[in-house]
Amino acid sequence: GLAQAILHDPEVLIMDEPTDGLDPNQKHHVRELIAEMAKEKAIIISTHILEEVEAVCSRAVVINKGRIVADGTAEDLMRRMPYHNAVAIRIAPEREAAVRAAVSGLAGVARVEVMPSANGRMELRVIPRGGAQIAADVAAQIRDKSVAVDELFVERGKLDDVFRQITTSDQEAR
């Protein structure tokens, strides 16, 4: 189907779920093809597979009940989540108090949450105020306090969560 669609070299290409049902190698090849064609063509992709949006789209439009409810880059949409730019820290449970003490007083930190974890480890999520970038400050503070951590990474958020938040807020409010 894709070959038939591009055979006559159209200026605009509309694709519905272009990688649905493909294996990871096939997805990679189709995404490369889309990226290459997008340099010279307008490509519109309709999909519920939101990893696809991040992988190939320069702009995302979310439509709910026939109305546009969001429009922007994938990054713009992920900024809507309260944990965008949050810092996740995996530690041994006995280090929880030390990590909380180290990061709670930072200006950009709104709060620290405990997340479910496995294998005897604990995960804390340091939530920024207003989506601020706090990773460097959190890492410096932990290093300065000499608190050993297993892992530290920035959470960008997930488009699936943004989509759910945008499209279910009306229903849940009722």
Side-chain angles (χ1 to χ4, degrees):
L2 181 57
Q4 288 177 324
I6 64 175
L7 186 61
H8 67 283
D9 195 27
E11 291 180 26
V12 177
L13 187 59
I14 300 173
M15 305 173 104
D16 183 30
E17 309 280 1
T19 63
D20 190 32
L22 301 181
D23 71 38
N25 290 329
Q26 293 168 328
K27 281 183 184 183
H28 177 75
H29 291 302
V30 170
R31 288 173 180 169
E32 281 183 334
L33 177 63
I34 291 170
E36 190 61 34
M37 290 188 308
K39 294 175 184 174
E40 299 175 8
K41 303 177 182 318
I43 300 178
I44 299 169
I45 296 174
S46 171
T47 186
H48 290 93
I49 304 168
L50 298 182
E51 77 176 60
E52 199 69 36
V53 174
E54 270 190 278
V56 298
C57 297
S58 59
R59 177 177 167 201
V61 177
V62 178
I63 299 171
N64 186 34
K65 298 178 185 166
R67 303 186 75 182
I68 294 174
V69 293
D71 183 353
T73 65
E75 186 69 22
D76 291 340
L77 297 183
M78 287 187 289
R79 280 190 197 108
R80 293 174 172 234
M81 296 307 293
Y83 54 85
H84 178 72
N85 280 335
V87 177
I89 306 168
R90 280 206 186 98
I91 54 171
E94 62 270 11
R95 295 192 182 113
E96 177 186 1
V99 171
R100 280 183 181 273
V103 301
S104 294
L106 291 171
V109 173
R111 67 186 179 282
V112 179
E113 298 176 348
V114 176
M115 304 304 298
S117 197
N119 300 326
R121 305 322 261 169
M122 168 178 267
E123 186 171 313
L124 299 178
R125 182 186 284 163
V126 184
I127 309 294
R129 292 185 199 286
Q133 295 184 359
I134 59 170
D137 292 339
V138 168
Q141 192 71 353
I142 288 172
R143 186 176 46 251
D144 290 348
K145 301 292 183 188
S146 298
V147 180
V149 300
D150 297 335
E151 187 176 3
L152 185 143
F153 60 93
V154 177
E155 293 190 21
R156 295 180 50 237
K158 296 180 186 129
L159 282 178
D160 286 27
D161 294 338
V162 174
F163 183 86
R164 284 192 37 73
Q165 179 189 40
I166 292 170
T167 60
T168 60
S169 58
D170 274 356
Q171 295 168 355
E172 291 172 0
R174 287 184 216 145

